[in-house]
Amino acid sequence: MYEIEAEQELRIECDSESKVKVVLKKGAAEIFGSEIARDVPYEFQDWAFAVFSWRGCSVELSGSYHAYVASETPMTSYINAHGVLQRLRQEEPQGPRVLIVGPTDTGKSTIQTILSSYCAREGGELIICDVDPGQGSIGIPGTLSAAPVARPHNHTDGNDLLAPFTLFYGSTTPSTNKQLYISLVKSLAEAVDARMAVNDAARKGGCIVNTCGWVDGEGYSLLQEVCVAMRADIVLVMDSDRLHADLKKDFGDKAKVVKLPKSGGVVTREGKTRRRARDARIKRYFYGPRGDLCPQQRVVHFSEITILQVGGGQAAPASALPIGAVSTHDPLRLHHVSAGSHLVHSILAVSHAVHEKDVVSTNVAGFVVVTGVRLDEGVLVLLVPCAGPLPGRYLLQGSLKYLE
């Protein structure tokens, strides 16, 4: 049994091979801004999280884990930030447009979850956006997404997000195709504006945008473009004095730039851990958070689908071109992909687009994995999340692979 005093938190870490159950026995507590019920077991695996209490509580843990009670937490700063956002929602016709920025592993997605949960707990609705293709907190890795939130975060199953708007980028880093990345961010911003135009609650709630951790050099230039595209009026900088100073200088006249501390419980993840987390996110898409969904195998004839890829490789540097020549490389150009063994294990996005020219900026219906190519029969074997025909004929390929 762990006794947590007022404004303390119990920090818990468990790996991919173990599970931990959390039961609140006395008092009140929350996980990432969402309250937990008393005497109800919550099971977690391969996650680092914290049980926080404003007035004190008792928590019982079972399973394999590492845990400790921390007396210094940033939750007071976070609740103050929420208070400012709530005041703006009440006083302004348009809710705040918040951009959360910071280096890798500084708790950006955590503060987004906390702030959105606090808003929902007070009966509000808002839109959350994820423009970090390496994470996939709304869609899967390799996507940029937005979704309305009207309920606090679900502790064990994640956000119960209805009708997300998801665009397929196809890579886990913006550097792969910077022009495509910014184009998709702008399309996402237009979708957010369209939602707010027809939904008063979402317009009052505003939006909270989680960004990627690439904040140096070209990454900072992309971050500036994201800030402009999303029309951010508040920028929350996580644990970086340098980034805070740069954004204050470059955007101080357009947005309120505020530095927030990161939690001491934020875990720095190695590359192997990130890859495992991405695979787990993709598996979760097909099998559900509890592993109780049953994806299907579907055989599709080549004539039923059109596989496309955006870009077509890196452009040659200007120094490699003849004098006076201009590169004809178009990073937004669609290329047809021929069927072959190279498609095996590829993740393909099924687009809602009716016309090929609209594929890049149209949201996707879902994702499939190519498990086999039968050239002699002219068919692909796909792992699909549910039975029935594909919702569209256009499939987008990136560099993402998934091997069960």
Side-chain angles (χ1 to χ4, degrees):
M1 185 78 70
Y2 288 85
E3 299 296 330
I4 306 173
E5 302 295 331
E7 299 188 23
Q8 290 185 346
E9 64 184 21
L10 175 63
R11 295 171 180 167
I12 306 166
E13 298 175 21
C14 56
D15 59 32
S16 59
E17 305 299 324
S18 58
K19 295 181 180 180
V20 58
K21 284 187 178 180
V22 178
V23 181
L24 176 65
K25 305 302 292 186
K26 184 176 67 175
E30 60 187 51
I31 298 176
F32 294 157
S34 184
E35 294 176 298
I36 58 176
R38 195 174 300 175
D39 295 321
V40 174
Y42 296 90
E43 188 175 86
F44 302 92
Q45 183 177 9
D46 197 15
W47 204 25
F49 61 100
V51 180
F52 177 82
S53 179
W54 288 105
R55 298 184 179 180
C57 67
S58 298
V59 173
E60 183 178 84
L61 301 181
S62 60
S64 179
Y65 58 88
H66 173 70
Y68 63 97
V69 175
S71 57
E72 295 184 4
T73 80
M75 288 301 294
T76 299
S77 297
Y78 296 170
I79 194 69
N80 289 340
H82 164 69
V84 171
L85 299 181
Q86 281 297 96
R87 189 159 59 250
L88 292 173
R89 292 178 181 122
Q90 295 166 2
E91 296 175 353
E92 302 294 336
Q94 165 73 58
R97 302 173 76 101
V98 183
L99 202 70
I100 303 175
V101 304
T104 302
D105 295 330
T106 52
K108 296 185 295 296
S109 55
T110 296
I111 185 65
Q112 182 188 51
T113 303
I114 290 173
L115 293 177
S116 61
S117 292
Y118 279 163
C119 178
R121 282 170 61 176
E122 296 196 32
E125 179 179 331
L126 75 162
I127 297 174
I128 61 170
C129 303
D130 182 18
V131 297
D132 179 6
Q135 178 174 268
S137 62
I138 299 176
I140 67 169
T143 62
L144 280 65
S145 303
V149 173
R151 288 189 288 183
H153 182 77
N154 186 309
H155 303 295
T156 54
D157 292 346
N159 280 324
D160 183 15
L161 301 175
L162 302 177
F165 181 90
T166 299
L167 298 171
F168 187 67
Y169 174 63
S171 173
T172 57
T173 172
S175 63
T176 302
N177 190 334
K178 297 185 285 293
Q179 290 90 337
L180 174 61
Y181 175 76
I182 289 300
S183 176
L184 294 181
V185 170
K186 291 178 180 178
S187 295
L188 195 71
E190 291 174 0
V192 170
D193 290 340
R195 172 78 180 186
M196 290 182 175
V198 298
N199 188 301
D200 291 338
R203 183 170 62 252
K204 290 291 290 183
C207 66
I208 301 178
V209 184
N210 181 34
T211 63
C212 70
W214 188 27
V215 295
D216 297 319
E218 288 184 293
Y220 180 72
S221 298
L222 286 179
L223 186 59
Q224 289 178 299
E225 294 190 60
V226 171
C227 190
V228 172
M230 299 302 302
R231 294 193 287 113
D233 48 30
I234 295 179
V235 180
L236 301 180
V237 183
M238 303 302 296
D239 195 50
S240 175
D241 292 326
R242 176 182 174 181
L243 185 60
H244 176 255
D246 289 344
L247 288 171
K248 193 92 170 176
K249 178 185 66 177
D250 295 330
F251 284 95
D253 58 337
K254 305 179 189 70
K256 186 173 183 180
V257 182
V258 180
K259 181 175 176 288
L260 290 179
K262 76 172 182 178
S263 170
V266 172
V267 176
T268 301
R269 297 174 294 175
E270 299 178 350
K272 182 179 178 180
T273 304
R274 292 181 180 280
R275 288 190 293 272
R276 188 175 70 239
R278 289 168 187 152
D279 287 343
R281 185 71 190 179
I282 296 169
K283 182 178 181 180
R284 179 192 180 103
Y285 171 78
F286 286 100
Y287 293 93
R290 300 177 186 274
D292 53 359
L293 299 183
C294 185
Q296 308 288 311
Q297 289 279 352
R298 179 171 175 79
V299 178
V300 179
H301 198 275
F302 295 164
S303 62
E304 298 178 47
I305 58 174
T306 300
I307 304 176
L308 302 166
Q309 190 170 36
V310 186
Q314 297 289 332
S319 59
L321 297 173
I323 297 176
V326 178
S327 174
T328 58
H329 176 80
D330 183 359
L332 301 182
R333 181 183 176 187
L334 286 169
H335 298 263
H336 285 252
V337 178
S338 58
S341 58
H342 63 279
L343 287 175
V344 177
H345 304 310
S346 291
I347 297 175
L348 306 179
V350 185
S351 177
H352 273 306
V354 177
H355 304 290
E356 183 176 310
K357 63 182 177 63
D358 300 322
V359 165
V360 174
S361 59
T362 301
N363 63 313
V364 301
F367 307 93
V368 300
V369 176
V370 180
T371 58
V373 181
R374 301 175 189 166
L375 292 175
D376 54 337
E377 300 177 35
V379 298
L380 292 182
V381 183
L382 305 176
L383 179 71
V384 298
C386 58
L390 295 179
R393 74 165 288 115
Y394 296 112
L395 307 182
L396 274 169
Q397 183 196 18
S399 60
L400 301 174
K401 300 280 187 177
Y402 177 65
L403 177 62
E404 290 192 280

